[in-house]
Amino acid sequence: MPEDPIAQSEIAALTRRYEEAAQKNDREFGIVKSDLTAVRLQVGNLDQKVGNLSEQVVSLGERLERMDEKIDRNQAQIIELLSRLVGQRPDAG
């Protein structure tokens, strides 16, 4: 039985449409994959920056604690000196 030319042309048209859709999907998948790679790199960079900021915050906290201790010592010295001066006459050398 001879092949039906109409059926053959329909099959060819469907095959072309399928192949075009597959190529389009491959291109779009490539774009999405590329974008995903870029996002992963950005997330990695942000993670590193957050880690660095965390270290800086810890360091700053330690520095503030040392500064508070120094202020407390200085205030204690000032109070001690002022306590020694209480009751002394200003003109007593």
Side-chain angles (χ1 to χ4, degrees), residues 8-80:
Q8 289 299 318
S9 79
E10 287 296 318
I11 290 172
L14 288 172
T15 301
R16 273 193 312 277
R17 285 175 39 200
Y18 172 80
E19 289 172 350
E20 288 171 0
Q23 288 175 351
K24 181 180 175 187
N25 287 342
D26 288 345
R27 281 192 306 274
E28 289 174 352
F29 177 75
I31 291 169
V32 169
K33 188 176 176 182
S34 174
D35 289 348
L36 181 58
T37 299
V39 167
R40 283 181 177 159
L41 289 173
Q42 289 176 349
V43 167
N45 288 340
L46 287 174
D47 187 46
Q48 186 178 21
K49 288 179 181 179
V50 166
N52 290 340
L53 284 175
S54 178
E55 291 173 11
Q56 290 177 359
V57 166
V58 168
S59 174
L60 183 59
E62 292 169 351
R63 289 174 59 196
L64 285 173
E65 286 177 19
R66 288 193 304 268
M67 187 180 290
D68 281 345
E69 291 169 0
K70 188 174 183 179
I71 288 172
D72 289 343
R73 281 193 310 272
N74 288 342
Q75 285 177 342
Q77 288 175 343
I78 290 170
I79 290 170
E80 182 182 338

